[in-house]
Each structure stands twice: as C-alpha cells, then as structure tokens.
Amino acid sequence: MADFCTMMFLSNKNRFHGMISRDYADELLAGTEGAYLIRESQRQPGTYTLALRFGHQTLNYRLFYDGKHFVGEKRFESVHDLVTDALITLYIETKAAEYIAKMTTNPIYEHLGYTSLLKDKMVHRLSRGRTEPRRVTFQRDEKISSPLVRRSALKDTPEKQCSYEKIHNFKVHTFRGPHWCEYCANFMWGLIAQGVRCSDCGLNVHKQCSKLVPSDCQPDLRRIKKVFSCDLTTLVKAHNTTRPMVVDMCIREIELRGMKSEGLYRVSGFSEHIEDVRLAFDRDGEKADISASAYADINIIAGALKLYFRDLPIPVITFDLYSKFIQAAKLPNAESRLEAIHEGLLQLPPAHYETLRYLMAHLKRVTMFEKYNLMNAENLGIVFGPTLMQPPEQNALTTLNDMRQQKLVVQLIIEHEDVLF
C-alpha cells in the first residue's frame, strides 16, 4: 500500500518533498500564502501530509488516496483541485464566519423558491381524505374471540391527524457554475460538493441548511426512476395516491380472479414472469397490463405483489418498529398482545399504515375462501411475516429466530384487522 501511495505522490513530484519535518515544511512555505507541499510523515512512515500555507501559518492535514485525493469527505482528481477548494473554504470561513453563523436564522425557504411553488399542491394533498388510525382499548373482562364481542369491547378515542410527510433524500452534489442555497439564499462555495440536492424533489441547499429543512419533500415523478425498490412514501407522494399503485392493482386483479386459487400466495409463479411484471410496473406504472390475457396464472401476480413488499428499502413494518412488534408477539396474554400490536400500528408512517391496512383487509377476505384456497390466517402469516417485517441488522440468524413471532404478528393482524385498524 505504501509503495502504491508513493507512486501516486510521484505524480505530484514538484510538490512532494519526501520525508521532512513539520518545521522544515513551515520554512519552505513561509511567506507565500496559498503555497503547499506534500511530505511523508517522519513519525508514521508510509503516511502523507498536506502542508498548506494560509493566514500566515502552515496548516497540516493527513492526506489520503483511494483513486482520488482527500483529507475529508470531498474527493478530488488532483491535489491542486483539493488545495484550491480548501483555500476557498478557508477564506470564506475565516472572513465570513459571523455571517455564516447567522445565515440560517432568517431563511427565505418559507417565502421563495421550492416552498412557494409547491404550497398549493401540498395543501391539496394534505387535505385529501384518508382512513385515520383509530386508537382502541381492549377491555380486560371481555373475550376477544368473537368479532361481535370484540366490537362491543372497543372504546374509540380521538387520534392524531396524519399527513403524508416525507423527509428529503439529500445527497452530496457538485454544482456547475454559481449556485445559491434554496433555504438561506446564500452562495454555495467550493469547487466540488458545494452542497446537497434532494434526489427525490431536486431541492438544493447547503449541507448545514439541510438539517433545518422541514419534512416536506414533494417527489418529482421525473426523478422517480422505478416503482419497485422505491421508498413507499416517496412513491405514493410522487403519484398522488394513498397507496402504491402496485398494491391496488395486484390486489384488484387477485380478488377478481384468484380468490379460490389453491395455495394462493403460497404457490410460486414462474420467476421470469414475475420479473416481467416488475419491469412492466417500472416501465409503465399504472398503465402496466397485468390482466389475465397477459398473465393467465394468478400466482404470477401474487408473486409480484410479494416481491414488491420484499424489495422495499424500508419494510411496511419499519425497521425502527420491528423489535416492538416482535416483543408484542412474545407477550403471554392475548389481550396484551393485541394492545401492543395496535400501539405499534399507530406509530407506523401514514403511508405504511394505510398500505398495511389495505393489505390486511384483503388477506382477511382471502381467508374467507379457505375452503377453496386452503389459506388461513396462520398460513398467510407464514408467507407474509418475513415479507412485511425484517430485522434492521439484516442478520440471517435473527430472522430465523424471529420467524415464529413474525408469523404470529401478521396472523393476529389478519384475524383482528377489523379491530386493529
């Protein structure tokens, strides 16, 4: 590795001064603002330091190379570009430190740019009707086996208003030409990686401003490249729907012609045909043809729906709530289990909640055809448990150990969906 780095630095041989001390590097650079050199560390041979003259002093930075040069997050094709960017940043942070500290105190975000353009659209979306989560209480002195008894044992209480809020998906971005932050309206400085851009809506802000931007991302369909493997909330906001169109369309097709299909959701369709359905949704969206004329085997559509849920970057039952549901399934008391599962459901993001509610109502209807399809709530729990909930650490052993609880969670939600939602 040291030889490789040495070869890399030889390409900057006019700036590479070998193994010299900090004091000698300081002497070589003295009196020339912006001058720099690269030296090999005397204390740690095989490591390299960028010595840069700024503000009448020599600044030393550990220099790394992995195909590009870097001392921090930004990576550069050449050391010269790295130094140029560093000098710009140092100058601005030194000469305008007080201004930078204040520049986020009076943001223009609420009055100009992105927010004003989307304000009317967002108000319209947030005002759309949707099924609100119900908070329910299970009476301790009632049995919960009968649907009629369950309903009589409920107390409805007011529940919080839900909206489809979405955080911005900011990624470091290099802007070509002068660019200004859409949060604070100040210049974004540097040669590369001057700020961050939301890959879902296109909002451009300083990295420090991104921490202050509200969770009001309105995804642009032009930026959403696919349907499968797309964040659930991002997809529904981009398409202005309450649920992903994949879920609605597949369930509609299954209920039209597949409810009596033996082994529904358990029997697999041909993987190549399921992949075709995925490509059709990614390519055509809601215009995808999944009718019987295109896919006669309903197991292909059922398989595509399961694949959609498996491929979500954040499962329907989210990573941060996974352990809450697993612990709920372990409770010995049946009423306590349902209470705990209900509490977990209320904490789901609204789009996840609505999608799960719709799916569970569908699966409950599937169980009504058990005489034909042989799929009861337990069987569906086995199929959908690991599909709808996955441990955040993606550990195979954890998944194996939790399979019983995953199955039970989904089974109970199906059996009591009329109570839990």
Side-chain angles (χ1 to χ4, degrees), residues 4 7 19 23 54 77 87 95 101 111 122 130 140 149 199 214 229 268 281 294 305 333 348 354:
F4 176 74
M7 290 176 63
M19 188 178 290
D23 291 339
F54 180 83
E77 295 292 343
L87 289 172
K95 303 297 182 182
H111 312 290
M122 290 177 63
R130 66 178 295 273
R140 298 297 175 184
V149 173
S199 60
S229 302
S268 299
F281 275 113
L305 181 60
N333 181 271
L348 287 172
E354 174 59 23

mmCIF file with all atom_site columns, all heavy atoms in Angstrom, residues 4 7 19 23 54 77 87 95 101 111 122 130 140 149 199 214 229 268 281 294 305 333 348 354:
data_model
loop_
_atom_site.group_PDB
_atom_site.id
_atom_site.type_symbol
_atom_site.label_atom_id
_atom_site.label_alt_id
_atom_site.label_comp_id
_atom_site.label_asym_id
_atom_site.label_entity_id
_atom_site.label_seq_id
_atom_site.pdbx_PDB_ins_code
_atom_site.Cartn_x
_atom_site.Cartn_y
_atom_site.Cartn_z
_atom_site.occupancy
_atom_site.B_iso_or_equiv
_atom_site.pdbx_formal_charge
_atom_site.auth_seq_id
_atom_site.auth_comp_id
_atom_site.auth_asym_id
_atom_site.auth_atom_id
_atom_site.pdbx_PDB_model_num
ATOM 1   N N   . PHE A 1 4   ? 2.263   1.906   -3.378  1.00 0.00 ? 4   PHE A N   1
ATOM 2   C CA  . PHE A 1 4   ? 1.234   2.422   -4.272  1.00 0.00 ? 4   PHE A CA  1
ATOM 3   C C   . PHE A 1 4   ? 1.043   3.922   -4.040  1.00 0.00 ? 4   PHE A C   1
ATOM 4   O O   . PHE A 1 4   ? 0.951   4.702   -4.979  1.00 0.00 ? 4   PHE A O   1
ATOM 5   C CB  . PHE A 1 4   ? -0.082  1.675   -4.030  1.00 0.00 ? 4   PHE A CB  1
ATOM 6   C CG  . PHE A 1 4   ? -1.240  2.193   -4.832  1.00 0.00 ? 4   PHE A CG  1
ATOM 7   C CD1 . PHE A 1 4   ? -1.331  1.924   -6.186  1.00 0.00 ? 4   PHE A CD1 1
ATOM 8   C CD2 . PHE A 1 4   ? -2.231  2.954   -4.226  1.00 0.00 ? 4   PHE A CD2 1
ATOM 9   C CE1 . PHE A 1 4   ? -2.390  2.391   -6.929  1.00 0.00 ? 4   PHE A CE1 1
ATOM 10  C CE2 . PHE A 1 4   ? -3.284  3.427   -4.957  1.00 0.00 ? 4   PHE A CE2 1
ATOM 11  C CZ  . PHE A 1 4   ? -3.371  3.147   -6.310  1.00 0.00 ? 4   PHE A CZ  1
ATOM 12  N N   . MET A 1 7   ? 3.941   5.931   -5.398  1.00 0.00 ? 7   MET A N   1
ATOM 13  C CA  . MET A 1 7   ? 3.824   6.122   -6.840  1.00 0.00 ? 7   MET A CA  1
ATOM 14  C C   . MET A 1 7   ? 2.807   7.212   -7.155  1.00 0.00 ? 7   MET A C   1
ATOM 15  O O   . MET A 1 7   ? 3.012   8.035   -8.056  1.00 0.00 ? 7   MET A O   1
ATOM 16  C CB  . MET A 1 7   ? 3.390   4.812   -7.508  1.00 0.00 ? 7   MET A CB  1
ATOM 17  C CG  . MET A 1 7   ? 4.466   3.732   -7.495  1.00 0.00 ? 7   MET A CG  1
ATOM 18  S SD  . MET A 1 7   ? 3.866   2.171   -8.192  1.00 0.00 ? 7   MET A SD  1
ATOM 19  C CE  . MET A 1 7   ? 3.515   2.665   -9.874  1.00 0.00 ? 7   MET A CE  1
ATOM 20  N N   . MET A 1 19  ? 10.449  12.696  3.043   1.00 0.00 ? 19  MET A N   1
ATOM 21  C CA  . MET A 1 19  ? 10.254  12.631  4.488   1.00 0.00 ? 19  MET A CA  1
ATOM 22  C C   . MET A 1 19  ? 10.939  13.812  5.153   1.00 0.00 ? 19  MET A C   1
ATOM 23  O O   . MET A 1 19  ? 12.155  13.805  5.408   1.00 0.00 ? 19  MET A O   1
ATOM 24  C CB  . MET A 1 19  ? 10.800  11.308  5.032   1.00 0.00 ? 19  MET A CB  1
ATOM 25  C CG  . MET A 1 19  ? 10.463  11.062  6.502   1.00 0.00 ? 19  MET A CG  1
ATOM 26  S SD  . MET A 1 19  ? 11.084  9.462   7.093   1.00 0.00 ? 19  MET A SD  1
ATOM 27  C CE  . MET A 1 19  ? 10.011  8.329   6.233   1.00 0.00 ? 19  MET A CE  1
ATOM 28  N N   . ASP A 1 23  ? 8.628   21.408  10.848  1.00 0.00 ? 23  ASP A N   1
ATOM 29  C CA  . ASP A 1 23  ? 9.355   22.690  10.923  1.00 0.00 ? 23  ASP A CA  1
ATOM 30  C C   . ASP A 1 23  ? 9.992   23.033  9.588   1.00 0.00 ? 23  ASP A C   1
ATOM 31  O O   . ASP A 1 23  ? 9.949   24.194  9.144   1.00 0.00 ? 23  ASP A O   1
ATOM 32  C CB  . ASP A 1 23  ? 10.434  22.617  12.011  1.00 0.00 ? 23  ASP A CB  1
ATOM 33  C CG  . ASP A 1 23  ? 9.839   22.543  13.409  1.00 0.00 ? 23  ASP A CG  1
ATOM 34  O OD1 . ASP A 1 23  ? 8.650   22.941  13.563  1.00 0.00 ? 23  ASP A OD1 1
ATOM 35  O OD2 . ASP A 1 23  ? 10.537  22.076  14.332  1.00 0.00 ? 23  ASP A OD2 1
ATOM 36  N N   . PHE A 1 54  ? -1.739  29.233  4.984   1.00 0.00 ? 54  PHE A N   1
ATOM 37  C CA  . PHE A 1 54  ? -2.911  30.105  4.964   1.00 0.00 ? 54  PHE A CA  1
ATOM 38  C C   . PHE A 1 54  ? -2.977  30.896  6.274   1.00 0.00 ? 54  PHE A C   1
ATOM 39  O O   . PHE A 1 54  ? -2.761  30.344  7.353   1.00 0.00 ? 54  PHE A O   1
ATOM 40  C CB  . PHE A 1 54  ? -4.200  29.278  4.807   1.00 0.00 ? 54  PHE A CB  1
ATOM 41  C CG  . PHE A 1 54  ? -5.443  30.120  4.770   1.00 0.00 ? 54  PHE A CG  1
ATOM 42  C CD1 . PHE A 1 54  ? -5.851  30.722  3.585   1.00 0.00 ? 54  PHE A CD1 1
ATOM 43  C CD2 . PHE A 1 54  ? -6.192  30.338  5.916   1.00 0.00 ? 54  PHE A CD2 1
ATOM 44  C CE1 . PHE A 1 54  ? -6.985  31.520  3.543   1.00 0.00 ? 54  PHE A CE1 1
ATOM 45  C CE2 . PHE A 1 54  ? -7.334  31.135  5.889   1.00 0.00 ? 54  PHE A CE2 1
ATOM 46  C CZ  . PHE A 1 54  ? -7.726  31.723  4.703   1.00 0.00 ? 54  PHE A CZ  1
ATOM 47  N N   . GLU A 1 77  ? -9.789  14.849  -8.126  1.00 0.00 ? 77  GLU A N   1
ATOM 48  C CA  . GLU A 1 77  ? -8.954  14.199  -9.129  1.00 0.00 ? 77  GLU A CA  1
ATOM 49  C C   . GLU A 1 77  ? -7.487  14.554  -8.947  1.00 0.00 ? 77  GLU A C   1
ATOM 50  O O   . GLU A 1 77  ? -6.596  13.764  -9.233  1.00 0.00 ? 77  GLU A O   1
ATOM 51  C CB  . GLU A 1 77  ? -9.411  14.613  -10.539 1.00 0.00 ? 77  GLU A CB  1
ATOM 52  C CG  . GLU A 1 77  ? -10.812 14.141  -10.912 1.00 0.00 ? 77  GLU A CG  1
ATOM 53  C CD  . GLU A 1 77  ? -10.902 12.639  -11.073 1.00 0.00 ? 77  GLU A CD  1
ATOM 54  O OE1 . GLU A 1 77  ? -9.845  11.984  -11.208 1.00 0.00 ? 77  GLU A OE1 1
ATOM 55  O OE2 . GLU A 1 77  ? -12.031 12.103  -11.060 1.00 0.00 ? 77  GLU A OE2 1
ATOM 56  N N   . LEU A 1 87  ? -8.654  26.362  -0.085  1.00 0.00 ? 87  LEU A N   1
ATOM 57  C CA  . LEU A 1 87  ? -8.380  27.787  0.080   1.00 0.00 ? 87  LEU A CA  1
ATOM 58  C C   . LEU A 1 87  ? -9.667  28.610  0.009   1.00 0.00 ? 87  LEU A C   1
ATOM 59  O O   . LEU A 1 87  ? -9.846  29.569  0.779   1.00 0.00 ? 87  LEU A O   1
ATOM 60  C CB  . LEU A 1 87  ? -7.394  28.259  -0.998  1.00 0.00 ? 87  LEU A CB  1
ATOM 61  C CG  . LEU A 1 87  ? -5.949  27.755  -0.832  1.00 0.00 ? 87  LEU A CG  1
ATOM 62  C CD1 . LEU A 1 87  ? -5.109  28.118  -2.051  1.00 0.00 ? 87  LEU A CD1 1
ATOM 63  C CD2 . LEU A 1 87  ? -5.318  28.346  0.435   1.00 0.00 ? 87  LEU A CD2 1
ATOM 64  N N   . LYS A 1 95  ? -13.128 34.793  6.811   1.00 0.00 ? 95  LYS A N   1
ATOM 65  C CA  . LYS A 1 95  ? -13.556 36.174  6.610   1.00 0.00 ? 95  LYS A CA  1
ATOM 66  C C   . LYS A 1 95  ? -15.047 36.382  6.874   1.00 0.00 ? 95  LYS A C   1
ATOM 67  O O   . LYS A 1 95  ? -15.476 37.513  7.125   1.00 0.00 ? 95  LYS A O   1
ATOM 68  C CB  . LYS A 1 95  ? -13.237 36.616  5.183   1.00 0.00 ? 95  LYS A CB  1
ATOM 69  C CG  . LYS A 1 95  ? -11.767 36.489  4.796   1.00 0.00 ? 95  LYS A CG  1
ATOM 70  C CD  . LYS A 1 95  ? -10.884 37.398  5.643   1.00 0.00 ? 95  LYS A CD  1
ATOM 71  C CE  . LYS A 1 95  ? -9.419  37.298  5.199   1.00 0.00 ? 95  LYS A CE  1
ATOM 72  N NZ  . LYS A 1 95  ? -8.531  38.134  6.053   1.00 0.00 ? 95  LYS A NZ  1
ATOM 73  N N   . ALA A 1 101 ? -22.543 31.956  10.471  1.00 0.00 ? 101 ALA A N   1
ATOM 74  C CA  . ALA A 1 101 ? -23.247 31.519  11.675  1.00 0.00 ? 101 ALA A CA  1
ATOM 75  C C   . ALA A 1 101 ? -24.676 32.032  11.708  1.00 0.00 ? 101 ALA A C   1
ATOM 76  O O   . ALA A 1 101 ? -25.571 31.392  12.273  1.00 0.00 ? 101 ALA A O   1
ATOM 77  C CB  . ALA A 1 101 ? -22.486 31.991  12.919  1.00 0.00 ? 101 ALA A CB  1
ATOM 78  N N   . HIS A 1 111 ? -40.809 31.524  1.989   1.00 0.00 ? 111 HIS A N   1
ATOM 79  C CA  . HIS A 1 111 ? -41.375 32.593  1.168   1.00 0.00 ? 111 HIS A CA  1
ATOM 80  C C   . HIS A 1 111 ? -41.055 32.483  -0.313  1.00 0.00 ? 111 HIS A C   1
ATOM 81  O O   . HIS A 1 111 ? -41.788 32.993  -1.153  1.00 0.00 ? 111 HIS A O   1
ATOM 82  C CB  . HIS A 1 111 ? -40.874 33.947  1.686   1.00 0.00 ? 111 HIS A CB  1
ATOM 83  C CG  . HIS A 1 111 ? -40.999 34.089  3.168   1.00 0.00 ? 111 HIS A CG  1
ATOM 84  N ND1 . HIS A 1 111 ? -42.227 34.211  3.806   1.00 0.00 ? 111 HIS A ND1 1
ATOM 85  C CD2 . HIS A 1 111 ? -40.061 34.084  4.166   1.00 0.00 ? 111 HIS A CD2 1
ATOM 86  C CE1 . HIS A 1 111 ? -42.036 34.307  5.126   1.00 0.00 ? 111 HIS A CE1 1
ATOM 87  N NE2 . HIS A 1 111 ? -40.750 34.224  5.363   1.00 0.00 ? 111 HIS A NE2 1
ATOM 88  N N   . MET A 1 122 ? -49.242 20.965  -2.140  1.00 0.00 ? 122 MET A N   1
ATOM 89  C CA  . MET A 1 122 ? -49.125 20.247  -0.874  1.00 0.00 ? 122 MET A CA  1
ATOM 90  C C   . MET A 1 122 ? -50.390 20.402  -0.033  1.00 0.00 ? 122 MET A C   1
ATOM 91  O O   . MET A 1 122 ? -50.854 19.448  0.590   1.00 0.00 ? 122 MET A O   1
ATOM 92  C CB  . MET A 1 122 ? -47.919 20.770  -0.089  1.00 0.00 ? 122 MET A CB  1
ATOM 93  C CG  . MET A 1 122 ? -46.591 20.383  -0.704  1.00 0.00 ? 122 MET A CG  1
ATOM 94  S SD  . MET A 1 122 ? -45.226 21.096  0.192   1.00 0.00 ? 122 MET A SD  1
ATOM 95  C CE  . MET A 1 122 ? -45.418 20.310  1.763   1.00 0.00 ? 122 MET A CE  1
ATOM 96  N N   . ARG A 1 130 ? -58.588 10.384  3.995   1.00 0.00 ? 130 ARG A N   1
ATOM 97  C CA  . ARG A 1 130 ? -57.973 9.079   4.128   1.00 0.00 ? 130 ARG A CA  1
ATOM 98  C C   . ARG A 1 130 ? -58.497 8.438   5.406   1.00 0.00 ? 130 ARG A C   1
ATOM 99  O O   . ARG A 1 130 ? -59.026 9.107   6.285   1.00 0.00 ? 130 ARG A O   1
ATOM 100 C CB  . ARG A 1 130 ? -56.447 9.164   4.187   1.00 0.00 ? 130 ARG A CB  1
ATOM 101 C CG  . ARG A 1 130 ? -55.924 9.853   5.428   1.00 0.00 ? 130 ARG A CG  1
ATOM 102 C CD  . ARG A 1 130 ? -54.400 9.857   5.445   1.00 0.00 ? 130 ARG A CD  1
ATOM 103 N NE  . ARG A 1 130 ? -53.868 8.539   5.540   1.00 0.00 ? 130 ARG A NE  1
ATOM 104 C CZ  . ARG A 1 130 ? -53.656 7.904   6.693   1.00 0.00 ? 130 ARG A CZ  1
ATOM 105 N NH1 . ARG A 1 130 ? -53.951 8.476   7.836   1.00 0.00 ? 130 ARG A NH1 1
ATOM 106 N NH2 . ARG A 1 130 ? -53.133 6.688   6.701   1.00 0.00 ? 130 ARG A NH2 1
ATOM 107 N N   . ARG A 1 140 ? -60.432 -5.707  29.633  1.00 0.00 ? 140 ARG A N   1
ATOM 108 C CA  . ARG A 1 140 ? -59.814 -6.886  30.243  1.00 0.00 ? 140 ARG A CA  1
ATOM 109 C C   . ARG A 1 140 ? -60.832 -7.974  30.597  1.00 0.00 ? 140 ARG A C   1
ATOM 110 O O   . ARG A 1 140 ? -60.489 -9.140  30.685  1.00 0.00 ? 140 ARG A O   1
ATOM 111 C CB  . ARG A 1 140 ? -59.070 -6.478  31.520  1.00 0.00 ? 140 ARG A CB  1
ATOM 112 C CG  . ARG A 1 140 ? -57.929 -5.500  31.270  1.00 0.00 ? 140 ARG A CG  1
ATOM 113 C CD  . ARG A 1 140 ? -56.857 -6.098  30.405  1.00 0.00 ? 140 ARG A CD  1
ATOM 114 N NE  . ARG A 1 140 ? -55.833 -5.119  30.083  1.00 0.00 ? 140 ARG A NE  1
ATOM 115 C CZ  . ARG A 1 140 ? -54.822 -5.342  29.279  1.00 0.00 ? 140 ARG A CZ  1
ATOM 116 N NH1 . ARG A 1 140 ? -54.702 -6.521  28.678  1.00 0.00 ? 140 ARG A NH1 1
ATOM 117 N NH2 . ARG A 1 140 ? -53.921 -4.415  29.030  1.00 0.00 ? 140 ARG A NH2 1
ATOM 118 N N   . VAL A 1 149 ? -68.207 -9.659  19.837  1.00 0.00 ? 149 VAL A N   1
ATOM 119 C CA  . VAL A 1 149 ? -67.762 -9.322  21.188  1.00 0.00 ? 149 VAL A CA  1
ATOM 120 C C   . VAL A 1 149 ? -66.617 -8.330  21.125  1.00 0.00 ? 149 VAL A C   1
ATOM 121 O O   . VAL A 1 149 ? -66.527 -7.392  21.907  1.00 0.00 ? 149 VAL A O   1
ATOM 122 C CB  . VAL A 1 149 ? -67.341 -10.590 21.957  1.00 0.00 ? 149 VAL A CB  1
ATOM 123 C CG1 . VAL A 1 149 ? -66.715 -10.225 23.292  1.00 0.00 ? 149 VAL A CG1 1
ATOM 124 C CG2 . VAL A 1 149 ? -68.550 -11.494 22.165  1.00 0.00 ? 149 VAL A CG2 1
ATOM 125 N N   . SER A 1 199 ? -32.576 14.003  -3.993  1.00 0.00 ? 199 SER A N   1
ATOM 126 C CA  . SER A 1 199 ? -32.672 13.202  -5.215  1.00 0.00 ? 199 SER A CA  1
ATOM 127 C C   . SER A 1 199 ? -34.116 12.904  -5.589  1.00 0.00 ? 199 SER A C   1
ATOM 128 O O   . SER A 1 199 ? -34.382 12.426  -6.690  1.00 0.00 ? 199 SER A O   1
ATOM 129 C CB  . SER A 1 199 ? -31.897 11.887  -5.045  1.00 0.00 ? 199 SER A CB  1
ATOM 130 O OG  . SER A 1 199 ? -32.413 11.138  -3.972  1.00 0.00 ? 199 SER A OG  1
ATOM 131 N N   . PRO A 1 214 ? -37.680 21.507  6.669   1.00 0.00 ? 214 PRO A N   1
ATOM 132 C CA  . PRO A 1 214 ? -38.757 20.659  7.178   1.00 0.00 ? 214 PRO A CA  1
ATOM 133 C C   . PRO A 1 214 ? -38.991 19.409  6.329   1.00 0.00 ? 214 PRO A C   1
ATOM 134 O O   . PRO A 1 214 ? -38.522 19.334  5.192   1.00 0.00 ? 214 PRO A O   1
ATOM 135 C CB  . PRO A 1 214 ? -39.985 21.588  7.141   1.00 0.00 ? 214 PRO A CB  1
ATOM 136 C CG  . PRO A 1 214 ? -39.613 22.760  6.327   1.00 0.00 ? 214 PRO A CG  1
ATOM 137 C CD  . PRO A 1 214 ? -38.135 22.828  6.237   1.00 0.00 ? 214 PRO A CD  1
ATOM 138 N N   . SER A 1 229 ? -38.602 -1.268  -5.464  1.00 0.00 ? 229 SER A N   1
ATOM 139 C CA  . SER A 1 229 ? -37.393 -0.836  -4.734  1.00 0.00 ? 229 SER A CA  1
ATOM 140 C C   . SER A 1 229 ? -37.390 0.655   -4.435  1.00 0.00 ? 229 SER A C   1
ATOM 141 O O   . SER A 1 229 ? -36.378 1.196   -4.006  1.00 0.00 ? 229 SER A O   1
ATOM 142 C CB  . SER A 1 229 ? -36.109 -1.203  -5.494  1.00 0.00 ? 229 SER A CB  1
ATOM 143 O OG  . SER A 1 229 ? -36.041 -2.592  -5.727  1.00 0.00 ? 229 SER A OG  1
ATOM 144 N N   . SER A 1 268 ? -45.745 -20.535 -5.816  1.00 0.00 ? 268 SER A N   1
ATOM 145 C CA  . SER A 1 268 ? -44.964 -19.541 -6.554  1.00 0.00 ? 268 SER A CA  1
ATOM 146 C C   . SER A 1 268 ? -45.289 -19.580 -8.042  1.00 0.00 ? 268 SER A C   1
ATOM 147 O O   . SER A 1 268 ? -45.509 -20.648 -8.621  1.00 0.00 ? 268 SER A O   1
ATOM 148 C CB  . SER A 1 268 ? -43.465 -19.799 -6.366  1.00 0.00 ? 268 SER A CB  1
ATOM 149 O OG  . SER A 1 268 ? -43.112 -19.707 -5.014  1.00 0.00 ? 268 SER A OG  1
ATOM 150 N N   . PHE A 1 281 ? -44.252 -2.660  -14.388 1.00 0.00 ? 281 PHE A N   1
ATOM 151 C CA  . PHE A 1 281 ? -44.588 -1.578  -13.458 1.00 0.00 ? 281 PHE A CA  1
ATOM 152 C C   . PHE A 1 281 ? -43.528 -0.478  -13.485 1.00 0.00 ? 281 PHE A C   1
ATOM 153 O O   . PHE A 1 281 ? -43.852 0.713   -13.467 1.00 0.00 ? 281 PHE A O   1
ATOM 154 C CB  . PHE A 1 281 ? -44.753 -2.115  -12.041 1.00 0.00 ? 281 PHE A CB  1
ATOM 155 C CG  . PHE A 1 281 ? -46.122 -2.647  -11.739 1.00 0.00 ? 281 PHE A CG  1
ATOM 156 C CD1 . PHE A 1 281 ? -46.330 -3.999  -11.496 1.00 0.00 ? 281 PHE A CD1 1
ATOM 157 C CD2 . PHE A 1 281 ? -47.218 -1.793  -11.700 1.00 0.00 ? 281 PHE A CD2 1
ATOM 158 C CE1 . PHE A 1 281 ? -47.594 -4.488  -11.220 1.00 0.00 ? 281 PHE A CE1 1
ATOM 159 C CE2 . PHE A 1 281 ? -48.491 -2.271  -11.418 1.00 0.00 ? 281 PHE A CE2 1
ATOM 160 C CZ  . PHE A 1 281 ? -48.686 -3.632  -11.180 1.00 0.00 ? 281 PHE A CZ  1
ATOM 161 N N   . ALA A 1 294 ? -52.606 -11.168 -20.270 1.00 0.00 ? 294 ALA A N   1
ATOM 162 C CA  . ALA A 1 294 ? -51.146 -11.027 -20.221 1.00 0.00 ? 294 ALA A CA  1
ATOM 163 C C   . ALA A 1 294 ? -50.513 -12.087 -19.324 1.00 0.00 ? 294 ALA A C   1
ATOM 164 O O   . ALA A 1 294 ? -49.465 -12.646 -19.651 1.00 0.00 ? 294 ALA A O   1
ATOM 165 C CB  . ALA A 1 294 ? -50.765 -9.625  -19.731 1.00 0.00 ? 294 ALA A CB  1
ATOM 166 N N   . LEU A 1 305 ? -46.661 -9.137  -6.195  1.00 0.00 ? 305 LEU A N   1
ATOM 167 C CA  . LEU A 1 305 ? -47.029 -8.341  -5.021  1.00 0.00 ? 305 LEU A CA  1
ATOM 168 C C   . LEU A 1 305 ? -46.091 -8.641  -3.857  1.00 0.00 ? 305 LEU A C   1
ATOM 169 O O   . LEU A 1 305 ? -45.615 -7.721  -3.170  1.00 0.00 ? 305 LEU A O   1
ATOM 170 C CB  . LEU A 1 305 ? -48.477 -8.639  -4.632  1.00 0.00 ? 305 LEU A CB  1
ATOM 171 C CG  . LEU A 1 305 ? -49.012 -7.858  -3.430  1.00 0.00 ? 305 LEU A CG  1
ATOM 172 C CD1 . LEU A 1 305 ? -48.975 -6.361  -3.676  1.00 0.00 ? 305 LEU A CD1 1
ATOM 173 C CD2 . LEU A 1 305 ? -50.428 -8.309  -3.081  1.00 0.00 ? 305 LEU A CD2 1
ATOM 174 N N   . ASN A 1 333 ? -50.185 -12.900 27.341  1.00 0.00 ? 333 ASN A N   1
ATOM 175 C CA  . ASN A 1 333 ? -51.608 -12.597 27.415  1.00 0.00 ? 333 ASN A CA  1
ATOM 176 C C   . ASN A 1 333 ? -52.130 -12.140 26.063  1.00 0.00 ? 333 ASN A C   1
ATOM 177 O O   . ASN A 1 333 ? -51.571 -11.230 25.442  1.00 0.00 ? 333 ASN A O   1
ATOM 178 C CB  . ASN A 1 333 ? -51.848 -11.514 28.468  1.00 0.00 ? 333 ASN A CB  1
ATOM 179 C CG  . ASN A 1 333 ? -53.324 -11.176 28.617  1.00 0.00 ? 333 ASN A CG  1
ATOM 180 O OD1 . ASN A 1 333 ? -53.827 -10.313 27.917  1.00 0.00 ? 333 ASN A OD1 1
ATOM 181 N ND2 . ASN A 1 333 ? -54.003 -11.874 29.516  1.00 0.00 ? 333 ASN A ND2 1
ATOM 182 N N   . LEU A 1 348 ? -46.657 3.602   12.889  1.00 0.00 ? 348 LEU A N   1
ATOM 183 C CA  . LEU A 1 348 ? -46.186 3.462   11.516  1.00 0.00 ? 348 LEU A CA  1
ATOM 184 C C   . LEU A 1 348 ? -46.342 4.780   10.762  1.00 0.00 ? 348 LEU A C   1
ATOM 185 O O   . LEU A 1 348 ? -47.291 5.532   11.012  1.00 0.00 ? 348 LEU A O   1
ATOM 186 C CB  . LEU A 1 348 ? -46.981 2.380   10.787  1.00 0.00 ? 348 LEU A CB  1
ATOM 187 C CG  . LEU A 1 348 ? -46.710 0.924   11.158  1.00 0.00 ? 348 LEU A CG  1
ATOM 188 C CD1 . LEU A 1 348 ? -47.737 0.020   10.475  1.00 0.00 ? 348 LEU A CD1 1
ATOM 189 C CD2 . LEU A 1 348 ? -45.295 0.524   10.755  1.00 0.00 ? 348 LEU A CD2 1
ATOM 190 N N   . GLU A 1 354 ? -51.512 2.903   5.977   1.00 0.00 ? 354 GLU A N   1
ATOM 191 C CA  . GLU A 1 354 ? -52.605 2.756   5.023   1.00 0.00 ? 354 GLU A CA  1
ATOM 192 C C   . GLU A 1 354 ? -52.391 1.548   4.111   1.00 0.00 ? 354 GLU A C   1
ATOM 193 O O   . GLU A 1 354 ? -53.328 0.806   3.799   1.00 0.00 ? 354 GLU A O   1
ATOM 194 C CB  . GLU A 1 354 ? -52.745 4.028   4.189   1.00 0.00 ? 354 GLU A CB  1
ATOM 195 C CG  . GLU A 1 354 ? -53.747 3.961   3.056   1.00 0.00 ? 354 GLU A CG  1
ATOM 196 C CD  . GLU A 1 354 ? -55.162 3.653   3.517   1.00 0.00 ? 354 GLU A CD  1
ATOM 197 O OE1 . GLU A 1 354 ? -55.478 3.907   4.702   1.00 0.00 ? 354 GLU A OE1 1
ATOM 198 O OE2 . GLU A 1 354 ? -55.953 3.140   2.697   1.00 0.00 ? 354 GLU A OE2 1
#
